[in-house]
Amino acid sequence: MKKKILIICSIVVAVLSIVSVYAAYSYSKSIDGDATTGEVEVISKHFLFYDIVNDVRSNTPMEFDVNQNVIDEENGINISQGKITSYASKKLGYSDDLPYTHLNQLGIKAVFKAEVDVYVRLRVQDAWKSRKIYKNGNISTNSIVKGNAISTALSSDENWKYDAITGYIYYKTMVESSSDEITIEFDFPSDYYYPVGTASYRESVIVDLSFKVDIVQANRASSKWGFDVEDYLAN
């Protein structure tokens, strides 16, 4: 009897070990966020800044690593803890303007390696604030509820599809595997300005931006993200 119990216990242990190994293997194949696996490696993430000289936008942007804190008042670059701050509305040249660039001069860049075909999406984390300066000198700052004016800034790049509900921006094309580094970029529209109202105050809109990269193996994208990826990106 004891011998039978030992045999049964041994079988149970063996089965559990196989299940555990399989589960660990399956987990290691999951490509999510900035995690590194044997198949996908996110190498770097950068904010892009397009300078404007004589009303002409540069074709070659300056790049700033998101992990570096940067204060460049000449160009209005303010990066802290992976977040960049910019004006979404148009600065009008008042002495109390803050030293930030315009959102329409910015972009996002990610560099990665993929040994398998993948789909890519960006999770843009953004906080929009209205800054009102009243005639008596008082200043108030309030959060802005997301609406069409914000969606416009995130949905204009033809290579990407923005989902206003989740905040994800999906790269429309499946990225094929390569032994070389792969670069993807998202640019905010060069003509974008958040519209502001006029009343007994001057209003400006400021936005804090950060982003995460989410890469998933192409043949697992639909199950991983919970919808038919090919159909969604095709429409």
Side-chain angles (χ1 to χ4, degrees), residues 1 16 41 44-45 57 62 70 76 93 96 132 134 142 164 168-169 183 222 224 234:
M1 184 65 179
L16 289 175
E41 178 187 2
S44 65
K45 299 188 299 180
R57 178 182 167 117
M62 298 171 61
V70 178
D96 51 23
K132 296 176 181 177
Y134 293 86
N142 299 287
Y168 280 106
I169 305 176
T183 300
S222 294
K224 179 72 176 178

Side-chain angles (χ1 to χ4, degrees), residues 120-122 124 154 160-163 167-171 186:
V120 182
R121 66 182 181 181
L122 303 176
V124 176
L154 297 167
W160 297 82
K161 183 173 182 176
Y162 173 59
D163 185 344
Y168 280 106
I169 305 176
Y170 292 83
Y171 194 64
F186 171 86

Side-chain angles (χ1 to χ4, degrees), residues 10-197:
S10 298
I11 293 172
V12 171
V13 169
V15 171
L16 289 175
S17 298
I18 292 171
V19 171
S20 298
V21 169
Y22 177 77
Y25 175 81
S26 298
Y27 180 78
S28 71
K29 294 297 180 181
S30 175
I31 303 167
D32 190 13
D34 296 333
T36 299
T37 73
E39 297 172 339
V40 171
E41 178 187 2
V42 178
I43 297 171
S44 65
K45 299 188 299 180
H46 288 82
F47 292 116
L48 305 177
F49 168 72
Y50 294 88
D51 196 10
I52 296 177
V53 179
N54 297 326
D55 296 326
V56 178
R57 178 182 167 117
S58 170
N59 291 322
T60 305
M62 298 171 61
E63 299 186 11
F64 298 90
D65 192 306
V66 300
N67 296 313
Q68 295 182 342
N69 293 337
V70 178
I71 297 179
D72 178 352
E73 292 191 4
E74 180 179 353
N75 292 307
I77 306 300
N78 189 300
I79 302 172
S80 177
Q81 298 180 336
K83 175 183 67 180
I84 189 167
T85 303
S86 65
Y87 270 89
S89 59
K90 188 173 184 178
K91 290 194 289 186
L92 300 177
Y94 288 98
S95 60
D96 51 23
D97 282 345
L98 300 174
Y100 304 142
T101 189
H102 284 106
L103 178 64
N104 61 21
Q105 291 179 256
L106 299 180
I108 291 170
K109 174 181 176 179
V111 179
F112 61 94
K113 283 188 175 182
E115 298 176 1
V116 292
D117 296 344
V118 296
Y119 283 105
V120 182
R121 66 182 181 181
L122 303 176
R123 177 66 171 93
V124 176
Q125 297 163 302
D126 49 340
W128 299 68
K129 298 170 290 187
S130 169
R131 182 174 184 259
K132 296 176 181 177
I133 302 177
Y134 293 86
K135 293 180 179 179
N136 62 7
N138 290 336
I139 300 176
S140 68
T141 303
N142 299 287
S143 298
I144 295 176
V145 177
K146 293 184 180 180
N148 291 335
I150 293 175
S151 295
T152 300
L154 297 167
S155 60
S156 63
D157 192 318
E158 62 183 13
N159 296 313
W160 297 82
K161 183 173 182 176
Y162 173 59
D163 185 344
I165 297 175
T166 63
Y168 280 106
I169 305 176
Y170 292 83
Y171 194 64
K172 290 182 178 180
T173 307
M174 183 188 73
V175 179
E176 296 183 352
S177 62
S178 174
S179 58
D180 299 323
E181 293 183 356
I182 300 167
T183 300
I184 56 170
E185 296 182 7
F186 171 86
D187 288 335
F188 294 97
S190 59
D191 59 350
Y192 174 84
Y193 289 109
Y194 189 103
V196 293

